[in-house]
Amino acid sequence: ASVSACCLLCYCLEDMAAHVGASRTPQEVMEHYVSMYIHGNLGKACIPDTIPNRVTDHTCPSGGPLSPSLTTPLPPLDISVAEQQQLGYMPLRDDYEIEYDQDAETLISGLSVNYDDDDVEIELKRAHVDMYVRKLKERQRRKNIARDYNLVPAFLGKDKKDKEKAPKRKITKEEKELRLKLRPLYQFMSCKEFEDFFENMHKERILRAKIRELQRYRRNGITKMEESAEYEAARHKREKRKENKNIASSKRGKEEGKEGEFAAIENLPGFELLSDREKVLCSSLNLSPARYVTVKTIIIKDHLQKRQGIPSKSRLPSYLDKVLKKRILNFLTESGWISRDAS
């Protein structure tokens, strides 16, 4: 159509040049017409400066209901052939062997347009096509999310190498847990928007901590930053002295506890003959070391005589009641001095 219009214009210019006279060429005729009628006073009065465009572009903006970006294939992934086989990825089509909602094509695979279809059948087929388009959009949306958040390199283990090359701010354990909690937001935000959102949350925590610190300074009467440095140094010294004092008191308490644990029996005769466990036993039973040694000797002697078949005729001291006897027998049994049958 454009070629025909150009040919028609050339014929018109030649006819006009022949009508004016042989002294004018078609080019001169065109320049005279443009200068006098289009750019001249007549053109300024009749032709507006801007011609409004009354055609609405329904494919914009990007991401709208009719936008081609919803189903436009993304650039192919830059991965090796072995990795393509591992993923089942076809780079020329930007498709996978197993896509999201793999059976989506069954909605339209059996559809056909017939001239004898009634209105209900036509609307039903349109509904099937609409359902299929929605599934394609959802499939493409998931691909866009995977591409935006680099999920494919993460699956292949390439993201670890990139992190080693470009180290960023060290993320604490609390921030990692928060990032896991915010994962559902990935589908509603781009990667850059989410990273900006996360960094802003980190800045907010820092600012809140700084505000609490400044409020603490104000409560302590500090109004200048120079004074805050002196206050922090003094506070650090106070905490250090308090910590050292607590450590010293705990050590002294342990030593006093060890010494005071056997204060009731350590000066009694026979204390040096007892083991540490026997000292604890005598101290808990409030039994003197000499009496304990006597009872221990009688019990072990009777035990040996019973093992040899000799009947024991020894009598336990009168100060040994049933509770003390049972505690001492259990202790000697656990220590291996006598067998459980004897006890």
Side-chain angles (χ1 to χ4, degrees), residues 101-301:
D101 203 349
Q102 183 72 8
D103 299 331
E105 283 72 16
T106 57
L107 288 169
I108 60 170
S109 60
L111 291 182
S112 61
V113 179
N114 302 319
Y115 293 103
D116 56 348
D117 289 341
D118 54 14
D119 295 340
V120 176
E121 292 176 343
I122 292 174
E123 292 300 325
L124 182 61
K125 292 178 180 180
R126 287 179 178 175
H128 276 243
V129 173
D130 182 66
M131 293 167 61
Y132 175 65
V133 172
R134 290 174 184 270
K135 290 180 180 292
L136 289 183
K137 290 179 180 180
E138 178 63 20
R139 184 182 294 176
Q140 189 65 33
R141 187 183 73 89
R142 291 173 179 257
K143 285 184 181 180
N144 293 339
I145 293 174
R147 190 70 63 88
D148 189 20
Y149 283 91
N150 292 325
L151 299 184
V152 174
F155 175 77
L156 297 173
K158 291 185 176 181
D159 59 335
K160 297 180 180 179
K161 298 179 181 179
D162 297 338
K163 289 179 181 179
E164 293 176 358
K165 292 180 182 178
K168 296 182 179 180
R169 176 180 61 85
K170 186 177 180 181
I171 299 178
T172 61
K173 181 180 179 181
E174 292 77 10
E175 290 178 336
K176 290 181 179 179
E177 294 177 353
L178 179 61
R179 186 182 286 268
L180 291 176
K181 292 180 181 179
L182 296 176
R183 255 186 189 175
L185 296 178
Y186 285 8
Q187 57 181 323
F188 305 111
M189 305 171 67
S190 64
C191 183
K192 186 178 183 306
E193 290 174 347
F194 182 81
E195 291 298 333
D196 293 341
F197 172 70
F198 194 76
E199 287 298 323
N200 290 334
M201 292 181 64
H202 175 67
K203 291 179 182 178
E204 180 188 5
R205 288 194 296 270
I206 294 176
L207 290 175
R208 287 181 180 274
K210 188 65 176 178
I211 290 172
R212 289 194 296 269
E213 183 182 6
L214 294 176
Q215 290 175 344
R216 180 166 55 85
Y217 288 159
R218 181 60 61 90
R219 286 195 300 268
N220 288 276
I222 298 173
T223 57
K224 296 181 180 179
M225 295 303 297
E226 295 81 3
E227 299 174 352
S228 65
E230 299 177 1
Y231 169 78
E232 288 295 335
R235 186 175 68 87
H236 180 70
K237 290 181 180 178
R238 288 196 304 270
E239 291 179 353
K240 195 70 176 176
R241 286 198 301 269
K242 186 177 179 180
E243 183 180 354
N244 295 335
K245 185 178 179 180
N246 292 335
I247 294 174
S249 62
S250 62
K251 289 182 178 179
R252 186 168 57 254
K254 290 180 180 179
E255 293 175 357
E256 290 177 355
K258 287 182 179 179
E259 293 175 358
E261 185 178 2
F262 310 120
I265 61 173
E266 62 180 349
N267 296 323
L268 298 178
F271 177 77
E272 66 279 357
L273 301 176
L274 304 179
S275 63
D276 292 339
R277 293 185 63 200
E278 289 176 328
K279 291 176 183 178
V280 174
L281 178 66
C282 292
S283 179
S284 63
L285 297 178
N286 197 16
L287 186 66
S288 64
R291 290 186 174 184
Y292 167 74
V293 171
T294 301
V295 174
K296 175 183 175 183
T297 304
I298 294 173
I299 292 175
I300 294 175
K301 180 181 177 183

Side-chain angles (χ1 to χ4, degrees), residues 35-87:
S35 62
M36 295 301 295
Y37 294 97
I38 295 181
H39 297 301
N41 295 330
L42 185 62
K44 292 179 181 179
C46 298
I47 303 175
D49 295 335
T50 58
I51 300 175
N53 184 12
R54 296 182 177 87
V55 179
T56 303
D57 186 2
H58 294 281
T59 64
C60 295
S62 178
L66 300 176
S67 175
S69 62
L70 294 177
T71 55
T72 302
L74 296 171
L77 290 170
D78 185 15
I79 55 179
S80 63
V81 177
E83 292 170 342
Q84 292 176 11
Q85 295 176 353
Q86 181 182 358
L87 293 172

